[in-house]
Amino acid sequence: PSGAILSSLIGEFTAPGKSEIVVLRAGGMLELHRIVTDEARTHLKCITRTLTHSILRSCAKVRVDDNKRDVLAVGSDSGAVSVMDFAGGKVKILHCLTFGKTDVPLPPVVLQDAAFGKTGCRRGTPGQYMASDPKGRAVMCAAVEKRKLVYVLNRDASNAVTIASPLEAHRSRTITFAAVGLDNGFDNPIFATLELQYPDYEEGIGESADDVEKQLAYYELDLGLNHVSRRWATATHRTASCLAAVPGGLDGPGGVLIGSEDWIEYMHETMQSDGDAMDTDAKTSRRIACAIPRRTLHPDSKGVLITHITVHRQKKSKFFALAQTELGDVYKVTVQVDPEDKTKIVGLQACVLDVLPVANSLNVSKLGMLFVAAEFGDHSLYQFERIDLPDAPTSTSAQSKQGFLASNVGDEVKYFTTETAAKLAVKFTPTNLKNLRKIYTMDSAAPTTGVMVGELAGNEVSPQIYTLNGRGPTSALRIMRHGAAVTELAVSDLPGIPGGIFTIADNSRDAAESDAVNDKYIVVSFADASLILSIGDTVEEVTNSGLITNAPTLACTALGSDGGLCQVHPLGVRHISRGVAKQWNCPGLKRIECASANDNQVLIALGGGEVTYFELDPVSGNLMEIATRDMGADVCCLDIGVIPQGKSRNLFAAVGCRDQTVRIVSLEPGNNLLTQKSSTALRSRPHSVALQNTLATAQDTSSVPGDIVLTIGLDDGSALRAGVDPVTGSIGTSPTRRFLGARPVSVSRVTLESGTASLLLSSRPWISRLDSTSGKHVMAPLSYTPLDHGCSFSSDVIKEGIVATAGKTLRILSVDAAGMEGGEDEAFNINKVPLRYTPRQMTLLSTGGEQRKVVLAIVESDYNEYGHDEKKAMGFDAAGDGKGKKAKGGDGMDMDDSDDEDKPEEKAEEDDEEDDAEKIVRATPIRGPFPPDAGHWGSCIRLVDPANGCTTLECLEMGRNEAALCCTSVRFASRGGEPLLAIGTVTALTMHPLKHTASHIALYRVNGDRLQLLHKTIVEDGPVLALAQFQGRLLVGMGTTLRLYEMGKRQLLRKCELRGASPTMIKTLQTAGDRAFVGDMMQSIQIVRYDASSNRLRVLAHDPSPRPVTCQELLDWNTIAVGDKFGNLSVLRLPRGADASGGVDTTGQRALWDTSRGEDHLPKMEVLCNYHIGEVVTSLTRASLVAGGTEVVLYTTITGRLGALVPFTSRDDVEFYTQLERSLRTDALRPTGRDPQSYRSYYAPVKHVVDGDLCSVFNSMAYEEQSKVAGKVDRTVGEVMKKLEDTRNSLL
């Protein structure tokens, strides 16, 4: 899902005493996370994830009738309120709207339904604001304008939550800015709102909208009369934007805290009555307001808006509030209560807590943790280290009161201005975290502004995904690699290229008593020798192990429990017990081709197809030959598996033969020994096989203890996974196949997170395991170099490792299983390169000089920001290190460090490591100083070397207020095809109104690692937003003009132009052959053709639909994919025969009889596909993410989602997925009542695109519901799940 979080709440949703966070994500995803603290760390664990197919707008938690758990009320674009219960970690819909026919049965969890408005995010449809009564008696759902509905919640005789019909509290011409439920004990529920009633211009009232006052209003729900009335209202600050309820009743004074620009104010209806009783002749202050502390470098003319306030209740009726500004500064707000009258507030105090990322929600838990749902960038969980801040910069309401009484202003509302706040506020300098400590980070790629796919690292098999993310100080270049992260622990050289590697466990009596299953030896097999390595504090070669070293090793294991060893080599089987070596030699001239062994059993395959089985005699301790059988075909691989816990032997073995079959043979003593139980035919010869025992999970009822999974690696680079019946030994009829690489696949067993897993080695390594939570098999590649051989490794230091070989090197690795939880998201590991400003665009280009290489050029720019040199001259510290060191003493604990006094060098090294770790958890993004005037920009051009870990080669700062907005690599034919970097810049650009003072095209040459400016060309027709290479020249989109440039000595030379090529402004530009595909900011796509003979640009075709284009990607000569800012993805195609018309000249330079009759007669592009993503699409690219995989269209959104459109290659797939989607539209759960088809057709009907997110819901449905859906598509449940997995595997 997308990384952006729209809103979040903390509560106890699944069970009492659990600190859990409900998250509403962009794109309609609702998640429940639990704060989990274990021995290693504190983190957030995802409990459940639900796709709603709607736009989630607001949420509120409700605890009905003093229940011990909370339920969730959600407002969306469905036109209804949804009340959800998370009992048992699963979503249950208690109240929701139902669409469709009335005779269609509802899912069993839907109990009630009601609707109050139309679908969509309309200003008059409630759902934008959701507020709940603290006692759980009612919920208010408000719209942006006019409408407010109040729902009364109760419980029926069966203790189920019921919801009454809505009560109206509408007020015409009223705009609502915020809503909150007041805490007033068990009196009638009261809801507070921030409102503004604009004048009725139709009646000719001359009052200006700027003169209308904003009000704080109370709405009371009379439970006796079942009626809602507007109880009280008073004027508040015009810039008021957010509300927070103060605890009331027996816990506090009640009322609300109001956040506005530069001020925090407390208001309640009791304050007005107290003020009326005062002497009106004397000047008095009736308001309690506090000016917030301001940054030292912040201009006095600019206000600082408070964007969010949250109140946290402590024990014994204590509470405090946290308020955050648009700059990220967080203040602790203390409400000062009269000691004699606890219901009366006498003042406010605001002190600086820390600087955090600007948040959409701040959630404080009872465990002393703060969850920050960032507006952009990663979300974080912080631990409070202290909450009493005696030394922090502090402002009080008493200072504001004294200032008002000493001023000449008579109206307090007019006194609360930015100018006054700048005089009263305490100044401070932002630093790193002092009072909070970051303990967990939830990854978020929002916003994503660009994407590029390619194998640029130079030494990896699969391509990397490069994305531009973040805004301002949180900007970064992310390098995403599909697969789990790998930590390289050790690398050593080998004397040759090995043919295999094995580990031997320590089975001595001492190891058995310590319950530590560690490995004792590593055996590396070569073509004519074996290397024996002993595992201890170090890994070193030994010669006294008893294992032979002058022959290759085919298999080895620890045999028995008395320190015995077994080694299989081509000439025989060697058994070492109690220091005595015994050997079984091959009969005649035969040789052992392959072998497998476990603790008690050994199975070998001789040339010609003979299989011999050995078993350890428990009485004598000797390895006994039990049986021999001819398989009828040469054996190329076999596996005897692992002995199940509590058993003395494994009952089955897998044998792969050269006749492209894999057979399961019995190892049960008696007449059936080595008899074939089942077999499966393959498309290719098996290269390796592995049997693994699995355990049952609560979610996977089909698994029973002792289930066996057979994994087969084939010579064609693919792997098969099938189930084996633990009783009969029959192989499942629906194996899962996945292509892994171009090399034959080698399979071995490893351990991951205390569970069994399979290591599959091909062109790249893969890990396959059974997820214990979801019961699904998860397969993901490892982000590491290709490995030749590998097996499990365990020692005192490394409990779950992998020892492998790659070429002539031996490597010990550790796999990070994060991201392999079995969810719908694929496992990606991410590396981040921090950037200076918000990244706008990137392009690839080649460098000049002796060593040519490919580098990545990124243009970065930020509005309302000073340049790097200007900020440095002002004394701004972006790192926050100036005063970021933790003060000694205070809350620290006394520690006895006498043990370290004698080791100063070691202590210094440890201190350095601790300082680095401390800097990481204390680091926080700090926004630069805010310029006082509009038109200020900070911008730079960055060169990055992707082959060297994306290190920055050069970061070239742009001129004063000059912003680089676009870039491209261009090769001018007149300059011999030398790669150059073209940058489009604009100076002093302002957004409202849209104007600028100058616009340039800068041309750079890359010399080695440096940028050399060749020249800059001034353009007058508008800001340059799009550049593209076109037939050895540079095509530029500026404003509405499309212009073709040639390289000159001092500037670019105009060669051809087309004015009015775009109706509003050119946003995107791509070229192919003699065509240019021009994307307009409001009016979709225009296709322009260049006539070289007449040197003219002509419009060839256009799309008549008004699409505000944000990105585009060419699919072929006539087809283009387009994304717009309303969240739609469309595929357009030039109609057949349109190219023959030659295009229309719109310049007026041709004779009338030589032109067409106007734009209406232009060929119109056909719409092939249309699909609503639900988020603003920012970038498109066409790529294949895996070797041999399908080429797909990748898209990114502003909220950080990375998705793909996978083309269908057969009509059978189209029919299957169309039927599956049609069935799930009616049978899948609708948490908010939104129809999936209606949602995907938000602005235009969905066309020729299957909703993959909806199809993936099938995997999370109950088995009965799955059977019902599978029956509608004439498939079994297993076949449907296998089809879904195969489609997913074709992408990654």
Side-chain angles (χ1 to χ4, degrees):
S2 64
I5 294 178
L6 305 177
S7 181
S8 63
L9 285 173
I10 193 165
E12 301 173 358
F13 294 97
T14 60
K18 301 290 185 180
S19 294
E20 294 162 332
I21 300 174
V22 167
V23 167
L24 303 187
R25 291 192 183 271
M29 187 67 72
L30 189 148
E31 296 177 351
L32 177 66
H33 296 263
R34 179 179 298 163
I35 301 177
V36 178
T37 302
D38 51 27
E39 297 179 358
R41 59 179 181 137
T42 299
H43 62 281
L44 294 178
K45 180 181 180 181
C46 184
I47 303 300
T48 183
R49 175 181 293 170
T50 304
L51 183 64
T52 62
H53 280 94
S54 60
I55 297 177
L56 302 176
R57 305 169 69 185
S58 59
C59 63
K61 66 176 181 180
V62 186
R63 183 166 294 191
V64 183
D65 293 341
D66 292 333
N67 194 7
K68 294 183 179 181
R69 290 189 304 104
D70 298 316
V71 296
L72 184 70
V74 177
S76 65
D77 66 335
S78 63
V81 172
S82 299
V83 182
M84 306 180 185
D85 189 5
F86 293 93
K90 295 183 179 180
V91 178
K92 292 185 178 180
I93 313 303
L94 304 179
H95 174 83
C96 184
L97 169 68
T98 303
F99 287 92
K101 299 180 180 180
T102 57
D103 57 349
V104 177
L106 296 175
V109 294
V110 179
L111 303 181
Q112 303 177 22
D113 60 278
F116 54 65
K118 298 179 180 179
T119 60
C121 296
R122 309 168 189 265
R123 64 179 186 176
T125 301
Q128 184 65 30
Y129 307 103
M130 188 74 63
S132 63
D133 174 52
K135 300 300 181 183
R137 297 169 294 178
V139 173
M140 171 179 276
C141 184
V144 174
E145 185 177 355
K146 183 182 178 180
R147 300 182 66 189
K148 300 179 186 68
L149 299 176
V150 177
Y151 291 86
V152 179
L153 301 175
N154 285 302
R155 290 188 180 273
D156 56 15
S158 61
N159 202 31
V161 177
T162 61
I163 188 165
S165 299
L167 304 175
E168 297 182 353
H170 305 334
R171 191 165 184 254
S172 61
R173 308 192 321 276
T174 300
I175 297 177
T176 304
F177 294 89
V180 70
L182 286 188
D183 186 0
N184 60 339
F186 289 96
D187 294 339
N188 285 333
I190 297 177
F191 299 93
T193 61
L194 276 178
E195 299 178 348
L196 186 147
Q197 188 174 33
Y198 58 86
D200 187 358
Y201 295 104
E202 294 182 358
E203 297 180 1
I205 300 177
E207 185 180 9
S208 173
D210 296 333
D211 299 330
V212 179
E213 64 181 15
K214 186 177 290 186
Q215 292 184 333
L216 171 68
Y218 281 6
Y219 289 86
E220 180 183 7
L221 168 62
D222 192 323
L223 296 175
L225 300 178
N226 202 27
H227 175 70
V228 180
S229 60
R230 197 167 189 259
R231 171 170 172 165
W232 173 75
T234 186
T236 184
H237 200 279
R238 184 59 188 266
T239 60
S241 62
C242 55
L243 295 174
V246 175
L250 300 177
D251 299 328
V256 294
L257 290 174
I258 305 175
S260 59
E261 199 172 68
D262 302 306
W263 298 88
I264 297 176
E265 185 176 7
Y266 170 80
M267 300 192 76
H268 197 31
E269 58 182 350
T270 57
M271 296 174 54
Q272 188 71 23
S273 60
D274 293 340
D276 293 340
M278 296 181 182
D279 185 5
T280 57
D281 293 336
K283 184 178 180 180
T284 60
S285 175
R286 301 178 182 177
R287 294 180 177 270
I288 301 177
C290 175
I292 61 175
R294 295 166 66 93
R295 296 190 180 186
T296 305
L297 298 179
H298 193 78
D300 294 341
S301 59
K302 288 287 185 180
V304 181
L305 181 66
I306 296 175
T307 58
H308 189 79
I309 302 179
T310 184
V311 175
H312 176 63
R313 299 193 183 197
Q314 298 173 297
K315 296 180 180 179
K316 298 181 180 179
S317 301
K318 295 182 179 180
F319 63 92
F320 66 89
L322 296 180
Q324 189 181 40
T325 67
E326 58 183 330
L327 302 180
D329 304 329
V330 179
Y331 306 95
K332 178 197 174 186
V333 181
T334 304
V335 179
Q336 300 170 346
V337 183
D338 190 346
E340 298 179 358
D341 186 2
K342 298 295 184 182
T343 63
K344 185 177 180 181
I345 288 182
V346 296
L348 290 178
Q349 176 180 314
C351 55
V352 179
L353 178 68
D354 265 320
V355 180
L356 299 176
V358 179
N360 287 329
S361 295
L362 296 174
N363 307 121
V364 184
S365 75
K366 296 179 181 179
L367 304 175
M369 299 179 189
L370 172 65
F371 177 70
V372 177
E375 182 181 14
F376 291 115
D378 295 340
H379 317 293
S380 302
L381 185 66
Y382 297 87
Q383 177 75 54
F384 282 97
E385 290 195 338
R386 60 182 64 84
I387 197 61
D388 295 329
L389 311 172
D391 300 330
T394 304
S395 297
T396 63
S397 60
Q399 299 170 353
S400 304
K401 182 177 181 179
Q402 293 175 2
F404 169 69
L405 295 177
S407 67
N408 298 324
V409 182
D411 187 359
E412 281 189 280
V413 177
K414 295 182 179 179
Y415 177 76
F416 296 146
T417 61
T418 298
E419 181 182 358
T420 306
K423 295 178 180 178
L424 296 176
V426 179
K427 306 294 184 179
F428 73 96
T429 301
T431 63
N432 279 341
L433 300 178
K434 290 182 176 180
N435 307 300
L436 296 172
R437 184 184 184 89
K438 187 187 297 183
I439 57 177
Y440 177 76
T441 299
M442 180 186 293
D443 188 72
S444 172
T448 301
T449 57
V451 64
M452 180 181 294
V453 180
E455 206 299 282
L456 306 180
N459 56 354
E460 300 181 14
V461 177
S462 60
Q464 304 91 43
I465 302 176
Y466 297 84
T467 59
L468 300 177
N469 307 100
R471 184 184 68 173
T474 62
S475 301
L477 168 67
R478 296 189 177 214
I479 304 96
M480 304 176 62
R481 293 174 173 85
H482 178 222
V486 175
T487 303
E488 188 177 80
L489 303 176
V491 178
S492 62
D493 294 331
L494 295 174
I497 298 179
I501 188 168
F502 312 92
T503 55
I504 300 177
D506 188 357
N507 59 346
S508 62
R509 299 185 185 274
D510 296 338
E513 294 176 357
S514 63
D515 294 332
V517 183
N518 293 331
D519 292 328
K520 185 176 182 180
Y521 296 113
I522 297 176
V523 180
V524 184
S525 175
F526 297 93
D528 55 356
S530 294
L531 179 66
I532 315 299
L533 303 174
S534 175
I535 303 173
D537 295 336
T538 60
V539 178
E540 56 187 4
E541 183 180 359
V542 295
T543 57
N544 58 353
S545 63
L547 302 175
I548 62 173
T549 59
N550 57 357
T553 300
L554 301 179
C556 58
T557 185
L559 209 59
S561 58
D562 57 353
L565 303 178
C566 178
Q567 180 186 23
V568 181
H569 53 90
L571 297 178
V573 179
R574 185 179 182 86
H575 180 209
I576 305 166
S577 178
R578 298 181 179 90
V580 179
K582 301 178 182 178
Q583 175 134 341
W584 178 91
N585 295 317
C586 298
L589 299 178
K590 291 186 177 181
R591 295 292 183 267
I592 300 177
E593 300 289 341
C594 53
S596 177
N598 58 28
D599 294 347
N600 288 335
Q601 300 165 289
V602 178
L603 187 66
I604 63 173
L606 302 175
E610 285 189 7
V611 174
T612 302
Y613 173 63
F614 300 84
E615 190 170 311
L616 185 67
D617 188 354
V619 179
S620 63
N622 296 325
L623 188 64
M624 309 297 294
E625 180 182 356
I626 304 300
T628 301
R629 183 176 181 271
D630 189 354
M631 300 300 297
D634 289 343
V635 177
C636 54
C637 58
L638 53 82
D639 183 64
I640 203 170
V642 178
I643 300 176
Q645 187 174 3
K647 303 290 185 179
S648 61
R649 63 174 60 87
N650 193 20
L651 298 181
F652 300 102
V655 180
C657 301
R658 296 186 183 275
D659 60 355
Q660 299 185 3
T661 61
V662 170
R663 311 173 188 184
I664 301 296
V665 297
S666 174
L667 300 181
E668 185 177 0
N671 297 329
N672 294 328
L673 186 62
L674 293 184
T675 58
Q676 179 176 317
K677 291 294 186 180
S678 61
S679 66
T680 180
L682 307 172
R683 300 179 182 178
S684 178
R685 181 182 299 173
H687 182 76
S688 60
V689 291
L691 288 172
Q692 280 189 324
N693 298 317
T694 62
L695 298 177
T697 60
Q699 288 77 10
D700 187 12
T701 56
S702 62
S703 297
V704 295
D707 272 2
I708 302 174
V709 175
L710 171 64
T711 306
I712 307 172
L714 303 180
D715 281 347
D716 63 358
S718 58
L720 266 71
R721 187 185 71 247
V724 177
D725 190 281
V727 178
T728 63
S730 59
I731 302 177
T733 57
S734 299
T736 300
R737 181 188 181 96
R738 183 159 187 172
F739 180 75
L740 303 184
R743 288 163 43 179
V745 179
S746 174
V747 186
S748 60
R749 286 180 293 271
V750 295
T751 303
L752 191 63
E753 289 189 337
S754 302
T756 58
S758 297
L759 176 66
L760 302 98
L761 303 179
S762 182
S763 300
R764 62 183 306 188
W766 292 70
I767 282 285
S768 175
R769 68 162 183 161
L770 179 69
D771 182 64
S772 59
T773 303
S774 62
K776 302 177 183 177
H777 277 277
V778 183
M779 180 178 289
L782 302 182
S783 294
Y784 198 68
T785 58
L787 301 175
D788 300 327
H789 310 279
C791 64
S792 62
F793 175 82
S794 178
S795 66
D796 292 333
V797 179
I798 308 167
K799 293 299 181 183
E800 296 178 350
I802 296 174
V803 58
T805 64
K808 293 185 178 181
T809 59
L810 177 71
R811 302 166 187 253
I812 299 178
L813 316 172
S814 175
V815 178
D816 183 7
M820 296 182 60
E821 291 84 4
E824 296 299 329
D825 295 334
E826 289 288 339
F828 280 91
N829 71 89
I830 301 171
N831 296 327
K832 299 180 184 179
V833 178
L835 304 178
R836 185 174 294 176
Y837 307 105
T838 302
R840 303 291 176 175
Q841 203 170 2
M842 59 181 169
T843 186
L844 284 175
L845 73 156
S846 300
T847 63
E850 298 179 357
Q851 295 181 353
R852 291 185 174 270
K853 59 183 177 181
V854 177
V855 297
L856 198 61
I858 305 173
V859 292
E860 311 168 27
S861 58
D862 267 330
Y863 185 49
N864 279 333
E865 187 74 71
Y866 288 110
H868 179 70
D869 297 336
E870 292 179 275
K871 289 189 289 187
K872 198 172 182 180
M874 297 169 64
F876 173 70
D877 183 15
D881 295 333
K883 298 181 181 180
K885 295 183 180 179
K886 183 177 178 181
K888 295 183 179 180
D891 297 336
M893 297 176 60
D894 295 332
M895 299 182 67
D896 183 9
D897 54 357
S898 59
D899 293 341
D900 296 334
E901 293 180 356
D902 298 333
K903 302 176 182 179
E905 296 181 358
E906 295 181 4
K907 183 177 180 181
E909 294 178 359
E910 293 177 359
D911 290 344
D912 291 339
E913 294 178 358
E914 292 178 359
D915 289 342
D916 293 340
E918 187 73 9
K919 288 180 181 180
I920 294 175
V921 299
R922 297 287 180 184
T924 186
I926 302 176
R927 193 203 188 282
F930 208 96
D933 303 321
H936 284 262
W937 286 81
S939 182
C940 68
I941 306 172
R942 185 183 301 268
L943 285 184
V944 172
D945 185 6
N948 189 23
C950 284
T951 55
T952 298
L953 303 177
E954 183 176 14
C955 185
L956 181 63
E957 193 75 15
M958 303 298 293
R960 185 182 179 89
N961 297 336
E962 185 180 13
L965 300 179
C966 59
C967 64
T968 189
S969 175
V970 58
R971 295 173 182 263
F972 288 97
S974 59
R975 295 294 295 266
E978 178 187 5
L980 301 176
L981 177 64
I983 304 291
T985 69
V986 63
T987 304
L989 176 67
T990 59
M991 302 300 178
H992 300 289
L994 185 62
K995 62 179 182 179
H996 63 282
T997 58
S999 186
H1000 298 83
I1001 302 173
L1003 214 57
Y1004 292 88
R1005 175 189 290 121
V1006 182
N1007 283 334
D1009 298 341
R1010 299 296 178 184
L1011 285 172
Q1012 177 188 356
L1013 176 63
L1014 299 180
H1015 53 66
K1016 297 178 74 172
T1017 304
I1018 301 177
V1019 296
E1020 303 86 5
D1021 294 275
V1024 179
L1025 299 181
L1027 299 169
Q1029 177 178 317
F1030 183 69
Q1031 295 187 355
R1033 296 175 178 177
L1034 181 63
L1035 191 63
V1036 181
M1038 54 191 81
T1040 61
T1041 302
L1042 189 65
R1043 186 175 296 166
L1044 189 62
Y1045 281 99
E1046 181 59 270
M1047 180 70 175
K1049 291 184 178 180
R1050 296 187 177 181
Q1051 67 175 15
L1052 295 174
L1053 306 177
R1054 302 185 189 183
K1055 289 300 179 182
C1056 178
E1057 71 175 17
L1058 177 61
R1059 294 186 177 271
S1062 175
T1064 58
M1065 186 174 291
I1066 297 176
K1067 179 65 175 65
T1068 57
L1069 187 61
Q1070 284 184 300
T1071 61
D1074 62 349
R1075 295 180 185 175
F1077 295 79
V1078 182
D1080 185 77
M1081 195 170 284
M1082 294 298 294
Q1083 298 295 329
S1084 194
I1085 297 292
Q1086 320 283 328
I1087 301 181
V1088 177
R1089 182 179 180 183
Y1090 176 65
D1091 188 356
S1093 60
S1094 60
N1095 191 30
R1096 287 177 179 171
L1097 294 168
R1098 302 173 182 175
V1099 179
L1100 185 63
H1102 74 111
D1103 177 26
S1105 301
R1107 306 179 197 276
V1109 175
T1110 56
C1111 55
Q1112 64 183 42
E1113 177 66 18
L1114 280 175
L1115 303 183
D1116 59 35
W1117 176 248
N1118 296 315
T1119 313
I1120 186 170
V1122 179
D1124 62 42
K1125 69 177 182 180
F1126 293 137
N1128 299 309
L1129 265 178
S1130 306
V1131 178
L1132 310 176
R1133 174 171 290 175
L1134 185 68
R1136 183 174 300 176
D1139 197 13
S1141 62
V1144 176
D1145 179 27
T1146 60
T1147 62
Q1149 298 176 5
R1150 300 177 63 189
L1152 293 177
W1153 55 82
D1154 198 22
T1155 63
S1156 179
R1157 288 177 290 177
E1159 186 178 344
D1160 293 339
H1161 295 273
L1162 281 175
K1164 296 177 175 56
M1165 302 183 71
E1166 302 173 348
V1167 180
L1168 299 184
C1169 304
N1170 196 72
Y1171 185 74
H1172 180 67
I1173 299 294
E1175 305 158 47
V1176 180
V1177 184
T1178 57
S1179 183
L1180 289 168
T1181 187
R1182 186 165 48 104
S1184 177
L1185 299 181
V1186 68
T1190 306
E1191 190 176 46
V1192 299
V1193 177
L1194 282 180
Y1195 67 86
T1196 61
T1197 66
I1198 194 69
T1199 57
R1201 172 186 288 190
L1202 177 64
L1205 299 177
V1206 183
F1208 287 122
T1209 56
S1210 67
R1211 185 166 295 276
D1212 292 340
D1213 291 344
V1214 175
E1215 294 177 354
F1216 168 78
Y1217 277 104
T1218 302
Q1219 294 177 4
L1220 180 62
E1221 181 188 28
R1222 187 183 301 116
S1223 301
L1224 290 173
R1225 283 174 182 171
T1226 57
D1227 295 339
L1229 182 66
R1230 301 177 184 177
T1232 61
R1234 194 76 158 97
D1235 180 27
Q1237 184 177 12
S1238 174
Y1239 175 71
R1240 295 304 181 189
S1241 306
Y1242 221 103
Y1243 295 93
V1246 61
K1247 184 177 182 181
H1248 296 164
V1249 180
V1250 176
D1251 189 351
D1253 292 336
L1254 179 61
C1255 292
S1256 64
V1257 174
F1258 179 86
N1259 293 325
S1260 60
M1261 298 173 66
Y1263 183 77
E1264 294 77 9
E1265 299 174 0
Q1266 288 180 338
S1267 301
K1268 178 181 176 182
V1269 174
K1272 293 182 179 181
V1273 297
D1274 295 330
R1275 304 285 181 97
T1276 64
V1277 174
E1279 291 174 344
V1280 175
M1281 299 182 72
K1282 181 177 180 299
K1283 189 70 174 179
L1284 292 172
E1285 185 176 356
D1286 290 344
T1287 303
R1288 195 180 190 92
N1289 293 342
S1290 66
L1291 171 64
L1292 291 170

